[in-house]
Amino acid sequence: MHLGLIAMTSAPDELVSVLAHELSHITQRHIARSMSANSRASTLGLAAMLLGLVVASRTSNADAAQAAVVGGQAAMAQAQLNFSRDMEREADRTGLALMTGAGFAPAGMPAMFDKLDSASRLNDSGGFPYLRSHPLTIDRIGEARQIVQASGAAGGVPTAPLLHALMQARARVLMGTTTQTLRK
């Protein structure tokens, strides 16, 4: 957690949604599962490279051998990206259940995704979703909203209690370096 995250959120439910998502990566053992998946993918990649070497030694077609090697590497990279996106979706769902169970408004998660989408709108056209380690933010917003609606929980915008508003203002002041920021 850092000052920028506190300053960006306008309600405790939004802040908690980020923390619940990240805690879910831990409770679901995503790092250990990723290491295991990477080990399997490395074995497949090595097999593809060996196949490429065998093809290269048996034929005079270097392009076929190179295609086998590059194809194996591409398949390995795509498998890692697919696994990473699946872990992100799992952390979203598990985090949403965690924060709801702790008494926070589940609407905080789609609201936070909306903020992330707005913040990255200039830098992200949404292209090439199959090359991303995370699902598209718009897809995450939609899934979070569907889960909130299906649960029957109250939707809408999370409310900002005074304590969170004070924390947000303090974070903005501490992040600022100008006298004008301190005066605000």
Side-chain angles (χ1 to χ4, degrees), residues 169-184:
R170 185 169 194 268
R172 287 181 178 158
V173 167
L174 292 173
M175 288 177 5
T177 58
T178 65
T179 307
Q180 189 176 30
T181 303
L182 295 175
R183 284 187 183 131
K184 283 183 182 180

Side-chain angles (χ1 to χ4, degrees), residues 54-151:
V54 169
V55 169
S57 69
R58 304 273 182 194
T59 69
S60 59
N61 189 348
D63 289 340
Q66 186 175 6
V69 171
V70 171
Q73 290 173 334
M76 186 172 61
Q78 190 61 53
Q80 289 173 339
L81 289 171
N82 291 345
F83 187 75
S84 177
R85 285 191 300 269
D86 290 344
M87 286 191 294
E88 289 300 322
R89 285 186 196 96
E90 182 180 39
D92 290 347
R93 288 188 299 273
T94 307
L96 190 55
L98 179 65
M99 69 181 283
T100 303
F104 291 91
M109 186 169 278
M112 190 63 201
F113 284 141
D114 279 331
K115 287 183 189 289
L116 293 173
D117 190 44
S118 294
S120 66
R121 196 157 278 158
L122 293 176
N123 300 330
D124 187 3
S125 66
F128 306 107
Y130 52 88
L131 294 176
R132 296 169 179 257
S133 62
H134 286 60
L136 290 173
T137 305
I138 194 72
D139 293 340
R140 296 171 89 181
I141 293 168
E143 185 174 345
R145 285 185 179 151
Q146 284 179 341
I147 292 171
V148 170
Q149 286 176 346
S151 72

Side-chain angles (χ1 to χ4, degrees), residues 18-40:
V18 175
L19 298 176
H21 170 91
E22 297 306 332
L23 283 172
S24 294
H25 281 303
I26 296 166
T27 62
Q28 300 305 306
R29 301 179 37 86
H30 286 164
I31 292 175
R33 288 168 47 196
S34 177
M35 291 172 64
S36 176
N38 287 344
S39 176
R40 285 190 300 272

